[in-house]
Amino acid sequence: MDLRFSQSEQEFRHGLRSWLAETIPTLPPRPHRDDWPARRAYDTGWQRGMFDAGYAGVDWPAAHGGLGATPTEQLVFLEETAAARAPYVGANFVGLLHAGPTLVVEGTDAQRARYLPRILRGDDVWCQGFSEPDAGSDLASLRTTAVREGDHYVVNGRKVWTSMAQVADYCELLVRTDPDAPKHRGISWLILPMSTPGVQVRPLRTAGGSSEFSELTLDDVRVPVENLVGAENDGWRVAMVTFSFERGTAFIGEVIDSRNILAEIASIARSTPAPRGGTLWDDAALRRDVGRLTADVHGLWALIRKNVSEAAAGMIPVQGASVFKLRFTESRQKIGDLAAHVLGRSALAMSDLPGLAGGRNGHLVEDRVTTLAYTIAAGTSQIQKNILAERSLGLPKEPRWTSR
Ligand SMILES: Cc1cc2nc3c(=O)[nH]c(=O)nc-3n(C[C@H](O)[C@H](O)[C@H](O)COP(=O)(O)OP(=O)(O)OC[C@H]3O[C@@H](n4cnc5c(N)ncnc54)[C@H](O)[C@@H]3O)c2cc1C
């Protein structure tokens, strides 16, 4: 393991840091959380800026338009963008972090040429149509069907929790192409243009008050056969490729963000009067909680660096994505609880309340509500534990329950 940064990695860091310092002050104000067209424009505008500056697709291979950065440079990229409080990947999440990388590995030359440059430039937004009302953790039970008719598939079914579907141009869609095959074997991975007739998007409201997800209804939707990624009925394997990207990188940038939030919690506690005199920061239990969670976050960052160092040396990290996701998402929720404790009554409002906690409550409350979903999205904590038990620790597989 080698945790030092090389000369070229240091140069990469300094170049990026200066570009961020110049660029971030020139960005327009962030749009309201529920104004999705404005959010799309803001997120794709940021992506375009990164493209023009040569920072788009930092982890994508150079042959496919990315930066071809080493794992350590990718880490430096996440560290610097989070420290500079650069915009989050946002609406570009699915395209950049998993649909694009899946096409790099599994797509045809024609698919790569058509879709990848547009994702990198921020021209197209993608969403993920995997989950269904009766197929979440047990994704292989999905029922949306695709029946081949000439050079099209005719798709019928329902998808749910499709993040950002209301502003997406394309959807990575899992469908059942062979209803008679064992459930993992009859699935295919399709590119669905969201403007196709028969696609209906119904936004669902979250606890955060935003319509981040939608339900998709697919009614005789005709998808060209050329939009099949991988072979027909081999979609489960392609979906595992997608998951390897989704679970591997999704939360890493947020570790740095957590450090910023903990520092903010400490700063609010230092300036908030305690009921019996002094400030909230005089409470040793609170300081201990901040200290413990800060140590957690530093430990997780060290784990990421260890994994990156092992991956760069050609090894498969033992404490991989599932360990990280499990621990990070739980720590992140504890940070939210601590923020609520410090905010007191202002933890009840998602808009800034002048006077209480210095008017800094809004984004902390929004953040807390958002983190409630972290232990569910991209595979629940229980599923991560199953993966670890069965694949890393070699414990027996969980029993298959049959209903009577
Ligand atoms: C913020 C967020 C964004 C999302 N975005 C998308 C998206 O863009 N596209 C998409 O397709 N999906 C998306 N999802 C859906 C997500 O993938 C599912 O919510 C998740 O896989 C869990 O499925 P479920 O909600 O159906 O819960 P269920 O699978 O019904 O699980 C219910 C409970 O049972 C537990 N459980 C289930 N099976 C087992 C088992 N075998 N052993 C032990 N416990 C078990 C689970 O851990 C959970 O606690 C998103 C979810 C969230 C929260």
Side-chain angles (χ1 to χ4, degrees):
M1 191 169 48
D2 185 355
L3 299 180
R4 289 167 301 180
F5 292 105
S6 68
Q7 177 72 26
S8 71
E9 286 156 2
Q10 297 281 24
E11 281 164 15
F12 176 70
R13 183 188 293 281
H14 290 131
L16 175 61
R17 194 177 286 174
S18 346
W19 179 74
L20 289 167
E22 269 166 36
T23 312
I24 289 182
T26 65
L27 294 178
R30 292 187 195 212
H32 186 270
R33 66 173 176 274
D34 212 17
D35 185 347
W36 284 95
R39 280 180 73 166
R40 176 190 159 124
Y42 183 87
D43 295 343
T44 52
W46 170 244
Q47 181 60 28
R48 180 62 201 232
M50 288 212 292
F51 178 83
D52 291 341
Y55 288 114
V58 69
D59 53 339
W60 288 27
H64 297 293
L67 206 61
T70 63
T72 311
E73 284 167 345
Q74 293 169 33
L75 208 62
V76 168
F77 177 84
L78 292 169
E79 209 168 27
E80 290 299 320
T81 45
R85 300 186 185 231
Y88 180 58
V89 63
N92 306 299
F93 185 93
V94 172
L96 263 185
L97 300 188
H98 46 94
T102 304
L103 292 180
V104 165
V105 179
E106 298 290 337
T108 60
D109 287 344
Q111 288 167 343
R112 293 189 193 122
R114 176 161 178 191
Y115 299 107
L116 296 183
R118 295 185 61 82
I119 295 175
L120 286 176
R121 279 200 306 263
D123 293 340
D124 288 340
V125 166
W126 285 60
C127 63
Q128 181 188 50
F130 281 15
S131 305
E132 296 184 4
D134 293 315
S137 300
D138 185 14
L139 183 62
S141 297
L142 62 92
R143 292 197 203 148
T144 294
T145 54
V147 177
R148 179 114 184 221
E149 271 184 19
D151 52 7
H152 282 80
Y153 288 105
V154 180
V155 179
N156 280 287
R158 269 168 77 204
K159 295 285 171 181
V160 76
W161 313 129
T162 319
S163 308
M164 283 166 274
Q166 67 272 50
V167 289
D169 303 290
Y170 294 98
C171 179
E172 49 177 31
L173 189 73
L174 287 186
V175 290
R176 185 159 300 285
T177 30
D178 183 353
D180 300 322
K183 67 177 181 179
H184 292 87
R185 303 229 177 99
I187 293 173
S188 300
W189 202 108
L190 292 182
I191 301 169
L192 165 70
M194 292 295 282
S195 56
T196 316
V199 178
Q200 262 187 51
V201 179
R202 190 173 70 87
L204 303 169
R205 213 155 179 80
T206 68
S210 165
S211 322
E212 179 181 332
F213 317 108
S214 295
E215 182 182 47
L216 295 189
T217 312
L218 305 163
D219 212 356
D220 284 334
V221 176
R222 295 178 69 80
V223 179
V225 170
E226 69 197 28
N227 287 17
L228 176 69
V229 176
E232 189 175 282
N233 296 326
D234 194 25
W236 186 253
R237 190 190 57 76
V238 182
M240 291 305 115
V241 172
T242 309
F243 281 142
S244 70
F245 293 114
E246 181 180 15
R247 290 178 185 160
T249 50
F251 293 100
I252 292 181
E254 300 210 19
V255 175
I256 316 260
D257 220 26
S258 312
R259 286 192 214 161
N260 296 338
I261 292 175
L262 281 160
E264 195 168 356
I265 291 173
S267 144
I268 292 173
R270 283 194 189 96
S271 59
T272 304
R276 296 200 188 126
T279 67
L280 293 181
W281 194 242
D282 296 330
D283 177 0
L286 173 73
R287 294 201 305 273
R288 196 163 47 235
D289 285 345
V290 172
R292 280 210 181 112
L293 287 166
T294 305
D296 251 26
V297 169
H298 282 279
L300 283 161
W301 189 250
L303 175 65
I304 292 170
R305 291 199 54 198
K306 176 174 171 283
N307 285 346
V308 165
S309 167
E310 286 175 357
M315 294 183 272
I316 296 171
V318 182
Q319 288 103 3
S322 290
V323 169
F324 172 75
K325 182 180 186 277
L326 193 57
R327 182 62 185 233
F328 173 66
T329 52
E330 287 173 3
S331 298
R332 200 66 174 71
Q333 290 177 350
K334 288 185 195 150
I335 294 174
D337 291 346
L338 198 61
H341 173 73
V342 168
L343 291 173
R345 281 184 299 149
S346 60
L348 296 174
M350 219 179 286
S351 45
D352 287 333
L353 298 176
L356 290 174
R360 288 191 279 170
N361 59 303
H363 75 100
L364 288 174
V365 175
E366 186 180 347
D367 183 78
R368 182 183 187 219
V369 175
T370 306
T371 60
L372 295 177
Y374 284 14
T375 45
I376 304 172
T380 67
S381 289
Q382 289 75 19
I383 295 302
Q384 304 304 328
K385 285 179 185 166
N386 281 350
I387 291 173
L388 283 170
E390 293 174 15
R391 296 189 206 160
S392 297
L393 302 176
L395 296 178
K397 282 198 171 297
E398 66 171 322
R400 295 265 161 248
W401 301 104
T402 48
S403 52
R404 285 160 192 265

